[in-house]
Coordinates of all heavy atoms in Angstrom, one line a residue:
D1 N 62.5 -22.1 36.9 CA 62.0 -20.8 36.7 C 60.9 -20.7 35.6 O 59.9 -19.9 35.7 CB 63.1 -19.8 36.4 CG 64.0 -19.5 37.5 OD1 63.6 -20.0 38.6 OD2 65.1 -18.9 37.4
T2 N 61.1 -21.5 34.5 CA 60.1 -21.4 33.5 C 58.8 -21.9 34.0 O 57.7 -21.3 33.7 CB 60.5 -22.4 32.4 OG1 61.9 -21.9 31.9 CG2 59.7 -22.4 31.3
V3 N 58.7 -23.1 34.7 CA 57.4 -23.6 35.3 C 56.8 -22.6 36.2 O 55.6 -22.4 36.2 CB 57.7 -25.0 36.0 CG1 56.3 -25.5 36.6 CG2 58.3 -26.0 34.9
A4 N 57.6 -22.0 37.1 CA 57.1 -21.0 38.0 C 56.5 -19.7 37.4 O 55.4 -19.3 37.7 CB 58.3 -20.5 39.0
L5 N 57.2 -19.4 36.2 CA 56.7 -18.1 35.3 C 55.4 -18.6 34.8 O 54.5 -17.8 34.7 CB 57.7 -17.8 34.5 CG 57.5 -16.5 33.6 CD1 57.3 -15.3 34.4 CD2 58.5 -16.4 32.5
A6 N 55.3 -19.8 34.2 CA 54.1 -20.3 33.5 C 52.9 -20.3 34.5 O 51.8 -19.9 34.2 CB 54.3 -21.6 32.8
A7 N 53.2 -20.6 35.8 CA 52.1 -20.7 36.8 C 51.5 -19.3 37.1 O 50.3 -19.2 37.5 CB 52.6 -21.3 38.0
T8 N 52.3 -18.2 36.8 CA 51.8 -16.9 37.1 C 50.9 -16.5 35.8 O 50.2 -15.4 36.1 CB 52.9 -15.9 37.3 OG1 53.6 -15.8 36.1 CG2 53.8 -16.4 38.4
G9 N 50.9 -17.2 34.8 CA 50.2 -16.8 33.6 C 50.9 -16.0 32.6 O 50.4 -15.4 31.7
D10 N 52.2 -15.6 33.1 CA 53.0 -14.7 32.2 C 53.7 -15.5 31.1 O 54.9 -15.7 31.2 CB 54.0 -13.9 33.1 CG 54.7 -12.8 32.3 OD1 54.3 -12.5 31.2 OD2 55.7 -12.4 32.8
T11 N 53.0 -16.0 30.1 CA 53.5 -16.8 29.1 C 53.5 -16.2 27.6 O 53.5 -17.0 26.8 CB 52.7 -18.3 29.1 OG1 51.2 -18.0 28.8 CG2 52.8 -18.9 30.5
A12 N 53.2 -14.9 27.7 CA 53.0 -14.4 26.2 C 54.3 -14.6 25.4 O 54.3 -14.7 24.2 CB 52.8 -12.8 26.4
S13 N 55.5 -14.6 26.1 CA 56.7 -14.7 25.2 C 57.1 -16.2 25.1 O 58.2 -16.5 24.6 CB 57.8 -13.9 26.0 OG 58.1 -14.5 27.2
F14 N 56.3 -17.2 25.7 CA 56.8 -18.5 25.6 C 56.7 -19.1 24.3 O 55.7 -18.7 23.4 CB 55.7 -19.4 26.5 CG 56.2 -19.5 27.9 CD1 56.9 -18.4 28.5 CD2 55.9 -20.4 28.8 CE1 57.3 -18.5 29.8 CE2 56.3 -20.6 30.0 CZ 57.0 -19.5 30.6
G15 N 57.8 -19.8 23.8 CA 57.8 -20.5 22.6 C 57.6 -22.0 22.8 O 57.2 -22.4 23.9
V16 N 57.9 -22.8 21.8 CA 57.7 -24.2 22.0 C 58.7 -24.8 23.0 O 58.4 -25.7 23.8 CB 58.0 -24.9 20.5 CG1 58.1 -26.5 20.8 CG2 57.0 -24.6 19.6
G17 N 59.9 -24.2 23.1 CA 60.8 -24.7 24.1 C 60.4 -24.4 25.5 O 60.5 -25.5 26.4
E18 N 59.9 -23.4 25.7 CA 59.3 -23.2 27.1 C 58.2 -24.1 27.5 O 58.1 -24.7 28.5 CB 59.0 -21.7 27.3 CG 60.0 -20.7 27.4 CD 60.7 -20.2 26.2 OE1 60.1 -20.7 25.1 OE2 61.6 -19.5 26.2
W19 N 57.2 -24.1 26.6 CA 56.0 -25.0 26.7 C 56.5 -26.5 26.8 O 55.9 -27.3 27.7 CB 54.9 -24.8 25.7 CG 54.2 -23.5 26.0 CD1 54.0 -22.5 25.2 CD2 53.4 -23.3 27.2 NE1 53.2 -21.5 25.8 CE2 52.8 -22.1 27.0 CE3 53.0 -24.0 28.3 CZ2 51.8 -21.5 27.9 CZ3 52.2 -23.4 29.2 CH2 51.6 -22.3 29.0
A20 N 57.4 -26.9 26.1 CA 57.9 -28.3 26.2 C 58.4 -28.5 27.6 O 58.2 -29.6 28.1 CB 59.0 -28.5 25.2
S21 N 59.2 -27.6 28.2 CA 59.7 -27.8 29.6 C 58.5 -27.8 30.6 O 58.6 -28.7 31.4 CB 60.7 -26.6 29.9 OG 61.2 -26.7 31.2
V22 N 57.5 -26.9 30.4 CA 56.4 -27.0 31.2 C 55.7 -28.3 31.2 O 55.2 -29.0 32.2 CB 55.5 -25.8 31.0 CG1 54.2 -26.0 31.8 CG2 56.1 -24.5 31.3
F23 N 55.4 -28.8 30.0 CA 54.7 -30.0 29.7 C 55.3 -31.1 30.4 O 54.8 -32.1 30.9 CB 54.5 -30.3 28.3 CG 53.4 -29.5 27.7 CD1 52.9 -28.3 28.1 CD2 52.7 -30.0 26.5 CE1 51.9 -27.6 27.6 CE2 51.6 -29.2 25.8 CZ 51.3 -28.1 26.4
A24 N 56.7 -31.2 30.2 CA 57.5 -32.3 30.8 C 57.7 -32.3 32.2 O 57.9 -33.4 32.9 CB 58.9 -32.3 30.0
T25 N 57.7 -31.1 32.9 CA 58.2 -31.1 34.3 C 57.1 -30.5 35.3 O 57.3 -30.6 36.5 CB 59.4 -30.2 34.5 OG1 59.0 -28.9 33.9 CG2 60.6 -30.8 33.7
A26 N 55.9 -30.0 34.8 CA 55.0 -29.4 35.7 C 54.3 -30.6 36.6 O 54.0 -31.6 36.2 CB 53.8 -28.9 34.8
T27 N 54.3 -30.2 37.9 CA 53.7 -31.1 39.0 C 52.3 -31.0 39.2 O 51.6 -31.8 39.8 CB 54.6 -31.0 40.2 OG1 54.5 -29.6 40.7 CG2 56.0 -31.4 40.0
N28 N 51.8 -29.9 38.6 CA 50.4 -29.6 38.7 C 49.8 -29.2 37.3 O 49.4 -28.1 37.0 CB 50.1 -28.4 39.8 CG 50.9 -27.1 39.3 OD1 51.8 -27.2 38.7 ND2 50.3 -26.0 39.8
P29 N 49.7 -30.2 36.5 CA 49.3 -29.9 35.1 C 47.9 -29.3 35.0 O 47.5 -28.6 34.1 CB 49.3 -31.3 34.4 CG 49.3 -32.3 35.5 CD 50.0 -31.6 36.6
E30 N 47.0 -29.6 36.0 CA 45.7 -29.0 36.0 C 45.7 -27.4 35.9 O 44.8 -26.8 35.5 CB 44.9 -29.5 37.1 CG 45.3 -29.1 38.4 CD 46.4 -29.9 39.0 OE1 46.8 -30.8 38.3 OE2 46.9 -29.6 40.2
A31 N 46.7 -26.9 36.6 CA 46.8 -25.4 36.5 C 47.0 -24.8 35.2 O 46.7 -23.5 35.0 CB 48.1 -25.0 37.5
F32 N 47.4 -25.5 34.1 CA 47.5 -25.0 32.9 C 46.3 -25.3 32.0 O 46.3 -24.9 30.8 CB 48.8 -25.5 32.3 CG 49.9 -25.1 33.1 CD1 50.6 -26.1 33.9 CD2 50.5 -23.8 33.1 CE1 51.6 -25.8 34.7 CE2 51.6 -23.6 33.9 CZ 52.2 -24.5 34.8
D33 N 45.4 -26.2 32.4 CA 44.3 -26.6 31.6 C 43.4 -25.3 31.2 O 43.1 -24.6 32.2 CB 43.5 -27.6 32.3 CG 42.3 -28.2 31.5 OD1 41.3 -27.6 31.3 OD2 42.6 -29.3 31.0
G34 N 43.2 -25.0 30.0 CA 42.4 -24.0 29.5 C 43.2 -22.8 29.0 O 42.6 -21.8 28.4
D35 N 44.5 -22.9 29.2 CA 45.3 -21.8 28.7 C 45.3 -21.7 27.1 O 45.5 -22.7 26.4 CB 46.7 -21.9 29.1 CG 47.0 -21.5 30.6 OD1 46.0 -21.2 31.3 OD2 48.1 -21.6 31.0
E36 N 45.2 -20.6 26.6 CA 45.1 -20.4 25.1 C 46.6 -20.1 24.6 O 47.3 -19.3 25.1 CB 44.2 -19.3 24.7 CG 42.8 -19.4 25.1 CD 42.1 -20.5 24.2 OE1 42.6 -20.8 23.2 OE2 41.1 -21.0 24.8
V37 N 47.0 -20.9 23.5 CA 48.4 -20.7 23.0 C 48.3 -20.5 21.4 O 47.4 -21.1 20.9 CB 49.4 -21.7 23.5 CG1 49.5 -21.9 25.0 CG2 48.7 -23.1 22.8
T38 N 49.4 -19.8 21.0 CA 49.6 -19.8 19.5 C 51.0 -20.0 19.4 O 51.9 -19.3 19.8 CB 49.1 -18.4 18.9 OG1 47.7 -18.4 18.9 CG2 49.5 -18.5 17.4
L39 N 51.4 -21.2 18.7 CA 52.9 -21.5 18.7 C 53.2 -21.9 17.2 O 52.3 -22.4 16.4 CB 53.1 -22.7 19.5 CG 53.0 -22.5 21.1 CD1 53.0 -23.8 21.7 CD2 54.0 -21.4 21.6
T40 N 54.4 -21.7 16.8 CA 54.9 -22.0 15.5 C 56.1 -22.9 15.6 O 56.9 -22.9 16.5 CB 55.5 -20.7 14.8 OG1 54.4 -19.9 14.5 CG2 56.0 -21.1 13.4
G41 N 56.0 -24.0 14.7 CA 57.1 -25.0 14.7 C 56.9 -25.9 13.4 O 56.0 -25.6 12.6
F42 N 57.7 -27.0 13.4 CA 57.4 -28.0 12.3 C 56.9 -29.3 13.0 O 57.0 -29.6 14.1 CB 58.8 -28.1 11.5 CG 60.0 -28.6 12.3 CD1 60.1 -30.0 12.6 CD2 61.0 -27.7 12.8 CE1 61.3 -30.4 13.3 CE2 62.0 -28.1 13.5 CZ 62.2 -29.4 13.8
V43 N 56.3 -30.0 11.9 CA 55.5 -31.2 12.3 C 56.5 -32.4 12.5 O 57.3 -32.6 11.6 CB 54.4 -31.4 11.2 CG1 53.7 -32.7 11.6 CG2 53.4 -30.3 11.2

């Protein structure tokens, strides 16, 4: 569901956890190219 939701562009509430799932499992990564994000975490 996370990947499907990301594909609709409804990612305003996404944190590192959701994007990590998208990055790891998306079968069409080109669909997310160009999306702007602001995320907080540790290095």
Side-chain angles (χ1 to χ4, degrees):
D1 291 346
T2 301
V3 178
L5 184 61
T8 67
D10 187 12
T11 59
S13 64
F14 274 27
V16 173
E18 285 86 2
W19 279 118
S21 181
V22 172
F23 280 27
T25 59
T27 56
N28 56 337
E30 66 279 359
F32 304 100
D33 190 278
D35 286 1
E36 301 289 334
V37 295
T38 298
L39 297 171
T40 296
F42 55 85
V43 174

